[in-house]
Amino acid sequence: MAAIARGSSALFRRLLIQQYRRRCLRVQEARGLSFGLLPAPTLDRTSQVRGGRSLQMLGRGLHASAAHRGAVVQFKLSDIGEGIMEVTVKEWYVKEGDKVSQFDSICEVQSDKASVTITSRYDGVITKLYYDADDVALVGKPLVDIETESTSDVIQEEDVVETPAMAREEHTHQEIKGLKTQATPAVRRLAMENNIKLSEVVGSGKDGRILKEDILDFLARQTGAILPPSPFRETRTPDPPGAAPSAELQPPPAGPRRVLADKDVTEPLKGFRKAMAKSMTAALAIPHLGLCDQVDVSRLVALRDELKAEARGHGVNLSYMPFFIKAASLCLARFPILNASLDQSCQNITYKVSHNIGVAMDTALGLLVPTVKNVQLLSILEVARELNRLQELGAAGQLGTADLSGGTFSLSNIGSIGGTYAKPVILPPEVAIGALGKIQVLPRFDASGHVIRAHVMNVSWSADHRVIDGATMCRFSNMWRDFLQNPASMLLHLK
Ligand code: CAO
């Protein structure tokens, strides 16, 4: 039945498109432009823009649009979210004269948070690239011109001339039984941010279109009866005006080593460095409270040694971080003020339900802060698996916006690169962060006064002193320390 329904709706769609094409042809002929079956015209810039606009208008009217042979469409860089206004073009996958199909990758752009693959909405030929690699491209401005071809399929998105931003290729090539998946850019983004493949979701909208509710239902089924606030909603928690997004706060990537020149070199700040400058300036507005402690992690070291092989058997590399992260989540449940955000006017505080714990990570693109989402719902093994996934993506330079946004609390393991102490800087709009030093073997006294060999790690916390006082930070730190000094005690609180 469903197949028949889908078949007849496809037929209906096709009829609609034919009707629409005939309308376009009449409109364009009236304007002295040739579309549809006529040879490709050479349009001056004004005509192209006008043509693009008329296409856009008609496309909206019908809620579907068709591309037309010979129409040169300016393909604009769409809003890729999180207030991003510009991106750096990392790499072109096409050149002028190349033929492209819908959903083909056109280029890779680097926003201040993530690397994003831009895909085509049209079948056609690339007639112009507006930027060179490494140029800064502006959101809302043309990226390429495409001379479109006639196509029998409906372009899936609502808006004809803007580019859907997809962080991963798997989300740009979605097909269900040979049919392109129908979903608006917002729904695609929701799916992407929750790592859901659209091809696995059954759409309840017209012609099988996938709606936001379908994604949320899918997520609910995946996570059990109670739907936690999704990372999507978290990322849309209003940031204080002017505050920088959370994943932008780390030191600049080392980048390629510059060969020493005989004169000073000045270059514009771009990408992550630019974002860091913005977010660090925003972070300066936060009065930081610092608290440091030492943790005897000898038992944890022994426990991790014991569990490492078993985790390996599940295909997971078990480091210390999953224990640090899970312990932090258990403490956040007791101290929700540390898993909160404050609006810029200091009028409202939002307590976050999800424990989306950001982890400072040394990636191929430099230091980034991907987040392990909903740690409160995960076992230590699941946290480890998720961390492994993020590390793999980080090493490949493929962390997307979904993984880099929505953090509610952060940990920075400076110890994994040999640091002993650090003074972490809060990532707004979060209100607390911890930095972990390297685990050192040091002499300590046991209860009977004997010197023993202990594994000791320093931890430094920074908290937003406008909403968190020293006593609260210290109680949180004590609890976290106690969980790690006696990791078996965590068992009592795991769900
Ligand atoms: N002390 C001692 N050993 C540590 C350690 C610490 N603080 N942290 C990690 N290690 C060990 C791990 O246990 C692992 O050992 P095994 O091979 O025996 O398992 C080894 O070092 C490598 O660990 P890892 O770095 O691959 O994994 P991790 O989960 O410990 O760390 C991550 C994950 C993302 C924190 C790490 O990969 C990374 O990027 N570290 C750099 C972070 C950074 O640059 N921080 C500075 C931020 S400045 O604001």
Side-chain angles (χ1 to χ4, degrees):
M1 279 297 285
I4 296 169
R6 211 178 285 140
S8 60
S9 72
L11 188 69
F12 177 67
R13 237 168 40 197
R14 222 156 255 165
L15 282 171
L16 252 186
I17 294 165
Q18 278 169 14
Q19 222 178 31
Y20 167 56
R21 278 214 194 100
R22 278 198 288 272
R23 263 174 74 178
C24 280
L25 192 60
R26 280 201 298 275
V27 171
Q28 299 308 334
E29 276 170 347
R31 288 186 176 164
L33 298 174
S34 45
F35 282 89
L37 303 172
L38 301 178
T42 313
L43 302 177
D44 62 23
R45 174 68 55 235
T46 334
S47 317
Q48 285 175 26
V49 172
R50 248 191 266 129
R53 279 198 195 127
S54 62
L55 260 179
Q56 192 176 15
M57 267 168 45
L58 285 167
R60 277 183 174 146
L62 282 170
H63 266 258
S65 60
H68 299 266
R69 185 181 301 284
V72 176
V73 180
Q74 275 189 340
F75 187 93
K76 295 179 183 172
L77 181 64
S78 74
D79 178 5
I80 50 182
E82 309 263 340
I84 293 163
M85 297 312 294
E86 60 182 36
V87 294
T88 303
V89 179
K90 267 172 69 182
E91 189 181 353
W92 284 107
Y93 299 130
V94 293
K95 57 182 183 320
E96 287 173 4
D98 278 359
K99 212 164 178 305
V100 288
S101 302
Q102 285 181 54
F103 304 103
D104 277 357
S105 298
I106 286 188
C107 64
E108 187 85 7
V109 298
Q110 178 76 59
S111 76
D112 43 15
K113 298 187 89 177
S115 194
V116 176
T117 303
I118 303 294
T119 56
S120 176
R121 284 189 176 190
Y122 305 97
D123 298 333
V125 174
I126 302 284
T127 55
K128 176 169 177 165
L129 305 184
Y130 280 80
Y131 301 98
D132 290 328
D134 239 22
D135 280 356
V136 172
L138 300 177
V139 167
K141 298 285 176 205
L143 196 60
V144 294
D145 283 352
I146 301 180
E147 187 182 307
T148 59
E149 282 177 4
S150 181
T151 169
S152 59
D153 206 356
V154 173
I155 294 169
Q156 308 300 323
E157 317 295 352
E158 306 275 349
D159 195 342
V160 178
V161 293
E162 293 194 349
T163 315
M166 294 294 157
R168 295 211 203 103
E169 210 168 307
E170 67 191 56
H171 292 284
T172 64
H173 298 268
Q174 305 280 347
E175 302 218 344
I176 299 177
K177 293 181 190 147
L179 285 176
K180 299 256 167 42
T181 307
Q182 295 193 72
T184 62
V187 170
R188 286 175 189 277
R189 185 168 297 151
L190 175 58
M192 184 189 77
E193 289 181 347
N194 287 284
N195 290 316
I196 293 171
K197 288 187 182 172
L198 286 180
S199 56
E200 290 170 6
V201 180
V202 178
S204 64
K206 188 167 176 288
D207 295 342
R209 180 177 283 265
I210 297 171
L211 308 176
K212 184 174 151 195
E213 298 76 62
D214 299 325
I215 303 286
L216 295 175
D217 283 352
F218 185 88
L219 197 60
R221 279 198 301 278
Q222 275 192 331
T223 51
I226 302 163
L227 179 66
S230 73
F232 175 78
R233 285 179 221 160
E234 289 289 352
T235 60
R236 266 137 194 81
T237 302
D239 287 341
S246 59
E248 302 176 347
L249 282 153
Q250 296 307 307
R257 283 257 169 262
R258 187 180 293 285
V259 177
L260 279 181
D262 55 2
K263 59 180 176 124
D264 297 347
V265 177
T266 304
E267 59 182 19
L269 274 187
K270 286 185 191 167
F272 290 100
R273 264 203 195 95
K274 192 165 181 182
M276 185 180 64
K278 201 169 82 179
S279 53
M280 285 294 102
T281 308
L284 262 185
I286 301 174
H288 279 56
L289 159 78
L291 179 100
C292 304
D293 204 351
Q294 284 198 338
V295 189
D296 181 339
V297 289
S298 305
R299 285 184 182 161
L300 175 65
V301 169
L303 179 68
R304 207 260 324 203
D305 281 351
E306 208 177 305
L307 297 176
K308 211 169 156 30
E310 187 164 342
R312 175 62 56 212
H314 292 274
V316 173
N317 181 39
L318 184 66
S319 65
Y320 299 109
M321 276 308 274
F323 296 93
F324 300 154
I325 292 169
K326 189 65 195 180
S329 171
L330 293 177
C331 300
L332 291 174
R334 287 285 297 276
F335 298 92
I337 184 74
L338 284 134
N339 195 54
S341 68
L342 180 66
D343 69 18
Q344 216 186 20
S345 55
C346 297
Q347 298 299 312
N348 300 292
I349 184 156
T350 305
Y351 296 91
K352 307 289 180 78
V353 182
S354 296
H355 298 169
N356 294 344
I357 300 191
V359 178
M361 188 174 284
D362 196 15
T363 74
L365 295 171
L367 278 161
L368 293 179
V369 190
T371 55
V372 180
K373 303 278 195 313
N374 291 310
V375 175
Q376 79 281 7
L377 301 175
L378 304 181
S379 67
I380 290 172
L381 190 68
E382 286 167 335
V383 172
R385 181 174 284 119
E386 181 62 358
L387 191 58
N388 288 180
R389 182 185 74 80
L390 294 172
Q391 279 181 281
E392 273 169 32
L393 287 176
Q398 285 176 350
L399 282 167
T401 312
D403 285 324
L404 290 169
S405 56
T408 58
F409 178 90
S410 290
L411 289 176
S412 171
N413 184 0
I414 197 78
S416 71
I417 48 176
T420 310
Y421 311 92
K423 187 179 162 203
V425 178
I426 296 164
L427 315 181
E430 297 172 23
V431 292
I433 181 170
L436 321 164
K438 69 178 174 215
I439 299 170
Q440 299 171 280
V441 178
L442 295 171
R444 286 291 181 268
F445 293 107
D446 68 11
S448 345
H450 300 118
V451 174
I452 52 159
R453 197 172 175 271
H455 290 82
V456 178
M457 183 182 79
N458 295 309
V459 59
S460 323
W461 303 103
S462 291
D464 185 336
H465 212 340
R466 293 171 299 181
V467 286
I468 297 161
D469 55 44
T472 305
M473 189 68 249
C474 189
R475 288 191 187 103
F476 173 94
S477 178
N478 291 347
M479 186 186 239
W480 186 82
R481 182 198 60 204
D482 291 348
F483 276 136
L484 295 168
Q485 293 197 154
N486 184 14
S489 66
M490 276 200 262
L491 285 175
L492 295 176
H493 305 275
L494 296 180
K495 290 179 180 144

